[in-house]
Every structure is written in C-alpha cells, then in structure tokens.
Amino acid sequence: MKFLEYTPLDSLNDFLSRVNFGERTIKGCLEAYSCKHTGTDKKLSLSLEYEILDYLGKSSDTDSSSPTDYLLCRSSRKTLIYLVLTLYHMYPDYDFSLVRAHQFFTEESWDSFKQIFETYMFEASKEWVETNGGNSLLEALYKALDEVVKLSECEIYSYNPDCDMDPFLEKGSIWSFNFFFYNRKLKSVVSFRFCCVSNLVADGFLVDDVCYNDDGEIFDDMDM
C-alpha cells in the first residue's frame, strides 16, 4: 500500500482539519492509497489471509452474525485484506490483528453514507457553504472522490469496531465514522474518517472521573 497525494482532496482536508463550534469541534480526513504491495505488505497480507481462514474454521454455522458466506469468496477476502492493510498504514503503531479487524467492516451504499453524512455533518456543511460558497460540502466531497476513485465503480465500506478497539477514537469523542471507498479496477482506496470531539473534555475542563451517560446527557444542550 502506498499513500497517494491528490489535489482534489487537499481543500477538503484543509477545511475539515478543524471546524470549531465552541464547545465541540468537527474534524475529518481523506487519505488515498494504492493497493499495490510495498515493504512488509505481502507478509502482512498472508498473515491476514491465515487469520481470516482460521476465523472461518472456528465460526459456527449457526451463528447468524458471522459473515462466513462473504468471506468464503477469495475476492471478498482480498478486499478485506486491502482494507485492513490500509488501516495498518494509517496507524502503523496499532496491531489490528489483535482485534480481528476484518469482523468490523460492513458494506454500505452511497445512499446510506449520504444519510449519515448529511445528519452528522449538517453544521460543518453550513460552515462550508458560508466559507466557500457554491456547491455543498457533500457535492464537493462527491466530486473529489469521483476524481480520485470513480465512485460509480466503488465499493463502500464502514469500519465500526468496539470503542476499546478503535484507534480512531479521540479523547472527548462524541461520535465518529470511518468509511472506505474501494475501486477494485484501479486498485486504490480512499479512507474518510470524520468525528465530533468535545472541546471541554479535550482541553481538560472536565475531570476524568466524571461519569458520562451512554445517551450523552452532557451534550443535550448542544445542537446536533
């Protein structure tokens, strides 16, 4: 896997580097990678292949939550290996084999991604239009992704690990999403992670031993 620099992603990354709304900040990052093996990728890919095959061997046929049918296809396993290798290159100090990362990928559609994006990035989208004018943030994102990986040919995946197994999760995180746009023909993938972080927690204004309810009561007075 090799990191690729693309100008269409630069303006979006500049904007999404830090959109501050006072008590919270929305951040995002787009990264493009070639799926050609470099360095230790071949060794890692073999290790991941064995890991997935071992998982298939241990999975119960009665386990309805097990994605065994999908993983039985070699091309599907190869896709998941590329996605996990992308994670390795994004976070080289994190061992994704320990968390069986392949279990946390879900295939998505553009419509499902769009719904999540428009819901959670609503305020950032308003800020984008006020700052840049013209097209909406989603339209700018679509155009950039299409230039880099041709969206019509892409498979879209979300990565949703458990909280304690998520290297993307930042201190004070309110919500976060991780998507991957994979073009099998071009052998390239674009990762897109975006999140909302409480500035109160991140800046240390709230002590660490404060209890937070799962329903996020502390953020009830914020516009979401």
Side-chain angles (χ1 to χ4, degrees), residues 32-173:
Y33 291 88
S34 161
C35 293
K36 295 180 180 179
H37 286 172
T38 60
T40 60
D41 285 345
K42 187 172 183 179
K43 183 178 179 181
L44 272 173
S45 65
L46 286 173
S47 175
L48 290 167
E49 174 82 6
Y50 291 138
E51 178 188 330
I52 294 174
L53 290 174
D54 180 64
Y55 168 73
L56 285 172
K58 293 178 180 178
S59 294
S60 170
D61 292 337
T62 60
D63 183 3
S64 60
S65 64
S66 175
T68 52
D69 288 343
Y70 179 78
L71 293 174
L72 285 171
C73 175
R74 191 176 187 281
S75 63
S76 298
R77 293 200 302 273
K78 192 173 182 180
T79 295
L80 287 178
I81 288 170
Y82 281 143
L83 297 179
V84 177
L85 286 175
T86 303
L87 290 174
Y88 270 104
H89 281 268
M90 293 167 65
Y91 291 90
D93 297 326
Y94 194 88
D95 188 356
F96 288 93
S97 65
L98 295 178
V99 300
R100 295 187 177 272
H102 63 271
Q103 296 182 37
F104 299 108
F105 282 101
T106 304
E107 192 163 7
E108 305 281 356
S109 66
W110 173 258
D111 286 341
S112 63
F113 165 78
K114 179 182 176 182
Q115 183 176 12
I116 290 171
F117 184 89
E118 290 183 330
T119 300
Y120 288 87
M121 296 291 281
F122 176 74
E123 289 180 305
S125 298
K126 287 173 61 178
E127 184 71 18
W128 168 271
V129 173
E130 291 175 7
T131 303
N132 299 280
N135 293 337
S136 68
L137 180 57
L138 182 64
E139 290 171 333
L141 175 64
Y142 185 98
K143 182 179 179 181
L145 287 171
D146 197 45
E147 286 186 47
V148 176
V149 284
K150 295 184 180 179
L151 272 178
S152 62
E153 300 176 2
C154 276
E155 300 165 24
I156 303 174
Y157 296 87
S158 61
Y159 179 65
N160 303 294
D162 297 334
C163 289
D164 58 346
M165 300 176 180
D166 188 358
F168 298 96
L169 204 61
E170 298 187 35
K171 184 178 180 181
S173 178

Side-chain angles (χ1 to χ4, degrees), residues 181-192:
F181 302 83
Y182 171 60
N183 187 310
R184 193 182 299 269
K185 293 180 181 178
L186 296 178
K187 292 187 176 180
S188 59
V189 58
V190 172
S191 70
F192 179 34

